[in-house]
PDB file of all heavy atoms in Angstrom:
ATOM      1  N   MET A   1       9.207   6.242 -71.239  1.00 60.00           N
ATOM      2  CA  MET A   1       8.599   6.745 -70.030  1.00 60.00           C
ATOM      3  C   MET A   1       7.871   5.645 -69.244  1.00 60.00           C
ATOM      4  O   MET A   1       7.956   5.658 -68.027  1.00 60.00           O
ATOM      5  CB  MET A   1       7.646   7.882 -70.390  1.00 60.00           C
ATOM      6  CG  MET A   1       7.243   8.699 -69.225  1.00 60.00           C
ATOM      7  SD  MET A   1       8.662   9.559 -68.527  1.00 60.00           S
ATOM      8  CE  MET A   1       7.908  10.972 -67.894  1.00 60.00           C
ATOM      9  N   PRO A   2       7.157   4.702 -69.887  1.00 67.00           N
ATOM     10  CA  PRO A   2       6.479   3.664 -69.120  1.00 67.00           C
ATOM     11  C   PRO A   2       7.462   2.800 -68.339  1.00 67.00           C
ATOM     12  O   PRO A   2       7.157   2.340 -67.248  1.00 67.00           O
ATOM     13  CB  PRO A   2       5.746   2.835 -70.169  1.00 67.00           C
ATOM     14  CG  PRO A   2       5.638   3.690 -71.367  1.00 67.00           C
ATOM     15  CD  PRO A   2       6.791   4.641 -71.301  1.00 67.00           C
ATOM     16  N   GLY A   3       8.639   2.587 -68.855  1.00 76.00           N
ATOM     17  CA  GLY A   3       9.636   1.790 -68.141  1.00 76.00           C
ATOM     18  C   GLY A   3      10.092   2.492 -66.863  1.00 76.00           C
ATOM     19  O   GLY A   3      10.324   1.860 -65.836  1.00 76.00           O
ATOM     20  N   LEU A   4      10.199   3.811 -66.930  1.00 78.00           N
ATOM     21  CA  LEU A   4      10.608   4.597 -65.774  1.00 78.00           C
ATOM     22  C   LEU A   4       9.543   4.534 -64.685  1.00 78.00           C
ATOM     23  O   LEU A   4       9.850   4.339 -63.507  1.00 78.00           O
ATOM     24  CB  LEU A   4      10.876   6.050 -66.192  1.00 78.00           C
ATOM     25  CG  LEU A   4      11.288   7.004 -65.076  1.00 78.00           C
ATOM     26  CD1 LEU A   4      12.629   6.567 -64.482  1.00 78.00           C
ATOM     27  CD2 LEU A   4      11.405   8.420 -65.606  1.00 78.00           C
ATOM     28  N   LEU A   5       8.279   4.681 -65.067  1.00 76.00           N
ATOM     29  CA  LEU A   5       7.177   4.608 -64.095  1.00 76.00           C
ATOM     30  C   LEU A   5       7.097   3.219 -63.465  1.00 76.00           C
ATOM     31  O   LEU A   5       6.854   3.091 -62.263  1.00 76.00           O
ATOM     32  CB  LEU A   5       5.847   4.952 -64.765  1.00 76.00           C
ATOM     33  CG  LEU A   5       5.651   6.415 -65.130  1.00 76.00           C
ATOM     34  CD1 LEU A   5       4.324   6.612 -65.844  1.00 76.00           C
ATOM     35  CD2 LEU A   5       5.715   7.276 -63.893  1.00 76.00           C
ATOM     36  N   ARG A   6       7.303   2.197 -64.294  1.00 81.00           N
ATOM     37  CA  ARG A   6       7.259   0.831 -63.770  1.00 81.00           C
ATOM     38  C   ARG A   6       8.370   0.635 -62.744  1.00 81.00           C
ATOM     39  O   ARG A   6       8.171   0.034 -61.695  1.00 81.00           O
ATOM     40  CB  ARG A   6       7.394  -0.170 -64.912  1.00 81.00           C
ATOM     41  CG  ARG A   6       7.191  -1.596 -64.455  1.00 81.00           C
ATOM     42  CD  ARG A   6       7.253  -2.582 -65.601  1.00 81.00           C
ATOM     43  NE  ARG A   6       6.333  -2.204 -66.673  1.00 81.00           N
ATOM     44  CZ  ARG A   6       6.572  -2.397 -67.979  1.00 81.00           C
ATOM     45  NH1 ARG A   6       7.682  -2.989 -68.369  1.00 81.00           N
ATOM     46  NH2 ARG A   6       5.707  -2.031 -68.881  1.00 81.00           N
ATOM     47  N   GLY A   7       9.553   1.169 -63.014  1.00 80.00           N
ATOM     48  CA  GLY A   7      10.685   1.060 -62.087  1.00 80.00           C
ATOM     49  C   GLY A   7      10.418   1.794 -60.783  1.00 80.00           C
ATOM     50  O   GLY A   7      10.731   1.304 -59.694  1.00 80.00           O
ATOM     51  N   VAL A   8       9.825   2.992 -60.887  1.00 79.00           N
ATOM     52  CA  VAL A   8       9.502   3.775 -59.686  1.00 79.00           C
ATOM     53  C   VAL A   8       8.441   3.050 -58.872  1.00 79.00           C
ATOM     54  O   VAL A   8       8.544   2.966 -57.644  1.00 79.00           O
ATOM     55  CB  VAL A   8       9.040   5.194 -60.084  1.00 79.00           C
ATOM     56  CG1 VAL A   8       8.456   5.923 -58.901  1.00 79.00           C
ATOM     57  CG2 VAL A   8      10.198   5.979 -60.680  1.00 79.00           C
ATOM     58  N   ALA A   9       7.435   2.509 -59.520  1.00 82.00           N
ATOM     59  CA  ALA A   9       6.374   1.790 -58.820  1.00 82.00           C
ATOM     60  C   ALA A   9       6.924   0.550 -58.132  1.00 82.00           C
ATOM     61  O   ALA A   9       6.584   0.256 -56.981  1.00 82.00           O
ATOM     62  CB  ALA A   9       5.266   1.417 -59.795  1.00 82.00           C
ATOM     63  N   ARG A  10       7.784  -0.179 -58.823  1.00 84.00           N
ATOM     64  CA  ARG A  10       8.366  -1.384 -58.226  1.00 84.00           C
ATOM     65  C   ARG A  10       9.201  -1.012 -56.998  1.00 84.00           C
ATOM     66  O   ARG A  10       9.134  -1.669 -55.968  1.00 84.00           O
ATOM     67  CB  ARG A  10       9.239  -2.112 -59.256  1.00 84.00           C
ATOM     68  CG  ARG A  10       9.813  -3.406 -58.703  1.00 84.00           C
ATOM     69  CD  ARG A  10      10.654  -4.155 -59.716  1.00 84.00           C
ATOM     70  NE  ARG A  10       9.912  -4.393 -60.945  1.00 84.00           N
ATOM     71  CZ  ARG A  10      10.416  -4.284 -62.176  1.00 84.00           C
ATOM     72  NH1 ARG A  10      11.683  -3.978 -62.344  1.00 84.00           N
ATOM     73  NH2 ARG A  10       9.679  -4.518 -63.237  1.00 84.00           N
ATOM     74  N   THR A  11       9.964   0.051 -57.088  1.00 83.00           N
ATOM     75  CA  THR A  11      10.782   0.502 -55.962  1.00 83.00           C
ATOM     76  C   THR A  11       9.895   0.888 -54.775  1.00 83.00           C
ATOM     77  O   THR A  11      10.200   0.560 -53.618  1.00 83.00           O
ATOM     78  CB  THR A  11      11.657   1.701 -56.373  1.00 83.00           C
ATOM     79  OG1 THR A  11      12.478   1.314 -57.477  1.00 83.00           O
ATOM     80  CG2 THR A  11      12.510   2.180 -55.225  1.00 83.00           C
ATOM     81  N   ALA A  12       8.787   1.555 -55.045  1.00 79.00           N
ATOM     82  CA  ALA A  12       7.876   1.955 -53.972  1.00 79.00           C
ATOM     83  C   ALA A  12       7.267   0.734 -53.296  1.00 79.00           C
ATOM     84  O   ALA A  12       7.148   0.683 -52.068  1.00 79.00           O
ATOM     85  CB  ALA A  12       6.776   2.856 -54.524  1.00 79.00           C
ATOM     86  N   VAL A  13       6.893  -0.266 -54.067  1.00 82.00           N
ATOM     87  CA  VAL A  13       6.313  -1.482 -53.496  1.00 82.00           C
ATOM     88  C   VAL A  13       7.344  -2.215 -52.645  1.00 82.00           C
ATOM     89  O   VAL A  13       7.047  -2.653 -51.531  1.00 82.00           O
ATOM     90  CB  VAL A  13       5.758  -2.399 -54.616  1.00 82.00           C
ATOM     91  CG1 VAL A  13       5.409  -3.769 -54.078  1.00 82.00           C
ATOM     92  CG2 VAL A  13       4.553  -1.755 -55.271  1.00 82.00           C
TER      93      VAL A  13
END
Side-chain angles (χ1 to χ4, degrees):
M1 195 65 150
L4 179 64
L5 288 177
R6 187 177 307 146
V8 169
R10 183 179 306 139
T11 302
V13 169

